[in-house]
Amino acid sequence: MADRPRVRFAPSPTGELHVGNARTALFNWLFARHHGGRLVLRIEDTDESRSSVSYQVSLVDDLKWLGLDWDEGPEKDGTYGPYKQSERLDLYTEHLKKLMDADLVYPCYCTEEELEEERQSLILSKRMPRYMGKCRNLSVSERDALAAKGRKPSWRFKVPQTTVEFNDLVRGSIRFEGESIGDFIIVRSNGMPAYNFAVVIDDHLMAITHVIRGEDHLSNTALQIMLYRAFGFEPPVFAHHCLILGKDHAKLSKRHGSVSVGEFRMKGYLPAALVNYLALLGSSFAEAREVMSPAEMIEAFSLDRASKSGAVFDEEKLRWLNAIYIRNLTVDDLSNRLRPFLRRAGYQPEKLDPSWMKQVIETVRDELTALADIGEHIAIFFDGRYQMTSEAAQILDSAGAKKVVLAFGEYLESAVGSPVEIYTAAIKHAREKSGLKGRDLFMPVRAALTGKVQGPELERVFAVIGKESAARRLKQAYP
Ligand code: GLU
């Protein structure tokens, strides 16, 4: 690439950051970093009724959490600002004026009801719903009469009857016929610019070289290219990546489960795991490796390899990756990250002995697939939370199991040595006394000690619980 590319991520702050949008941000970030270019973050907040500052704050916060940094945008001034559309209204007015002077736009006085009526009648007559140009040829006096009624016009672009063709970096050659597109609104009746208009002006003025976004914007691109032509601007290169789909192959939405970055954060996915997973979806990498660091992803990223067909979101796979990332954290790092989740699960991490807690976390780390599950994994180490599950009770409901547990407990009374020595000797004692081995020997001990039938290695659990507490639990199992 000759010049350094400039790309942008342009979210509308109208909701929580959806993983699909996070993936668009990630692709732009990887592209910019791979080519040594710049990433612009632009806030598209011209839809006043749906945009909110709190969504903007959470959006920015989620991007930071994911580690996707931008070079220009909110909190990072550059020469192409402001980076918020609501602060760029003068620029849109100025550009509308240019199109007015060139007679490429006209005021439209149609009401919502009239437009809806037109839409319905086109649908009924099996034609494609679009604006048929009712206000395109109004005379000055007709316009004045409508304005006198108090109608505020929107501004529509006179769509030329030409073909729009462009080469998409992901999807190849794409073609749209002007005839199938109605004159579209570029400035709404409240004076605010419409998306397709503002985006062209901004992408041009911000010197964006590549527009990378979801394929749901493909048809917008045709309208945008028409505007580029009308202004005499050079259009950027476009790349429309596939969307994330649910298991039913419909666009991933709330009904499929968690969809916002915030929800995955709350469940305790690590940002690096989520980024890795999103990058893998519809893979854009040369190698078929699954676990990749940001540096490796930047190195291997290429839009040419991005898949054209939708990528199905599989939370189980994300969980699997997350578990790998959790296992790779140091215990100290993991402990810090777990703190808010422990509090949420009703623990008071600041009141717990740090070295004991470290041992607890080390013991359960390999079992943990998401941080928010920590509560259920560590409950076995807290006497107050020890609870017998029905599966464990079933295991204990046999003469053999009773023999094992009583023998194990009996040994503890007089045992001395390190926890591992005591555990090993107690198991040996229980084996000899009961004549049982394997599952029949270990399961009753696990069931009585933890109240569960699954969990970390028993020897390690015993070491964390300690001899006294273990003895009490065994007594509790057979009062
Ligand atoms: N604000 C638009 C959106 O969030 C941006 C689309 C684009 O990248 O042009 O969908």
Side-chain angles (χ1 to χ4, degrees), residues 8-12 21 24 42 44 85 195 199 203 211-214 216-217 220 224:
R8 82 313 190 264
F9 175 54
S12 305
N21 283 337
T24 302
R42 183 173 71 226
E44 304 210 320
Q85 288 188 326
Y195 157 71
V199 88
D203 284 341
V211 167
I212 305 167
R213 60 187 169 202
D216 48 343
H217 284 291
N220 285 327
Q224 291 170 21

Side-chain angles (χ1 to χ4, degrees), residues 4-53:
R4 305 197 155 215
R6 289 176 58 81
V7 293
R8 82 313 190 264
F9 175 54
S12 305
T14 53
E16 297 290 329
L17 181 64
H18 185 284
V19 282
N21 283 337
R23 183 156 154 273
T24 302
L26 172 63
F27 282 6
N28 278 283
W29 183 82
L30 288 170
F31 187 83
R33 299 292 171 258
H34 179 90
H35 294 287
R38 287 174 81 77
L39 173 62
V40 174
L41 173 62
R42 183 173 71 226
I43 304 296
E44 304 210 320
D45 59 346
T46 54
D47 186 345
E48 292 167 305
S49 60
R50 294 176 59 223
S51 301
S52 87
V53 174

Side-chain angles (χ1 to χ4, degrees), residues 254-297:
K254 282 199 179 107
R255 70 191 167 80
H256 293 109
S258 306
V259 288
S260 72
V261 169
E263 285 169 286
F264 291 105
R265 252 175 110 160
M266 287 287 278
K267 285 185 177 176
Y269 286 97
L270 302 183
L274 185 53
V275 161
N276 191 153
Y277 181 69
L278 292 177
L280 279 187
L281 266 179
S283 184
S284 310
F285 302 109
E287 305 156 55
R289 288 184 34 213
E290 301 207 279
V291 180
M292 291 175 97
S293 70
E296 289 167 324
M297 287 192 263

Side-chain angles (χ1 to χ4, degrees), residues 200-446:
V200 166
I201 296 164
D202 291 344
D203 284 341
H204 173 72
L205 294 180
M206 293 181 179
I208 298 303
T209 59
H210 294 73
V211 167
I212 305 167
R213 60 187 169 202
E215 63 177 325
D216 48 343
H217 284 291
L218 254 184
S219 56
N220 285 327
T221 301
L223 311 191
Q224 291 170 21
I225 288 176
M226 288 178 182
L227 290 174
Y228 278 100
R229 287 181 184 163
F231 282 118
F233 298 157
E234 174 79 20
V237 174
F238 292 97
H240 292 87
H241 59 72
C242 66
L243 300 183
I244 305 184
L245 309 177
K247 288 230 158 80
D248 56 359
H249 287 250
K251 188 176 162 186
L252 185 72
S253 71
K254 282 199 179 107
R255 70 191 167 80
H256 293 109
S258 306
V259 288
S260 72
V261 169
E263 285 169 286
F264 291 105
R265 252 175 110 160
M266 287 287 278
K267 285 185 177 176
Y269 286 97
L270 302 183
L274 185 53
V275 161
N276 191 153
Y277 181 69
L278 292 177
L280 279 187
L281 266 179
S283 184
S284 310
F285 302 109
E287 305 156 55
R289 288 184 34 213
E290 301 207 279
V291 180
M292 291 175 97
S293 70
E296 289 167 324
M297 287 192 263
I298 290 170
E299 167 78 30
F301 184 75
S302 163
L303 274 177
D304 310 345
R305 290 192 206 95
S307 103
K308 290 190 198 44
S309 49
V312 175
F313 193 85
D314 177 0
E315 195 169 339
E316 279 316 303
K317 178 93 188 256
L318 169 60
R319 218 168 236 280
W320 168 82
L321 257 180
N322 202 44
I324 295 177
Y325 276 85
I326 288 176
R327 257 176 268 146
N328 288 339
L329 294 177
T330 63
V331 183
D332 286 337
D333 189 357
L334 179 57
S335 305
N336 284 335
R337 291 175 195 252
L338 282 171
R339 216 158 282 149
F341 293 94
L342 284 167
R343 261 179 235 122
R344 230 190 292 148
Y347 296 86
Q348 292 176 294
E350 48 289 326
K351 293 204 176 144
L352 299 169
D353 171 22
S355 67
W356 180 76
M357 204 48 207
K358 200 168 160 174
Q359 215 186 335
V360 168
I361 290 172
E362 258 171 347
T363 310
V364 299
R365 177 166 56 179
D366 290 357
E367 313 256 313
L368 207 54
T369 54
L371 304 185
D373 301 344
I374 188 65
E376 68 195 58
H377 285 286
I378 65 169
I380 55 171
F381 301 110
F382 293 81
D383 289 344
R385 290 178 187 251
Y386 167 85
Q387 252 182 356
M388 187 64 68
T389 60
S390 56
E391 293 96 325
Q394 217 174 333
I395 295 281
L396 294 174
D397 188 19
S398 83
K402 187 170 184 177
K403 231 183 228 170
V404 168
V405 171
L406 291 184
F408 191 96
E410 178 185 83
Y411 185 84
L412 296 187
E413 276 164 30
S414 56
V416 281
S418 72
V420 175
E421 285 162 356
I422 297 177
Y423 171 81
T424 314
I427 281 285
K428 185 164 173 266
H429 183 75
R431 183 189 297 121
E432 284 163 5
K433 279 258 174 152
S434 66
L436 295 170
K437 57 183 186 334
R439 211 186 121 79
D440 294 338
L441 173 66
F442 290 101
M443 278 307 260
V445 178
R446 177 180 293 283

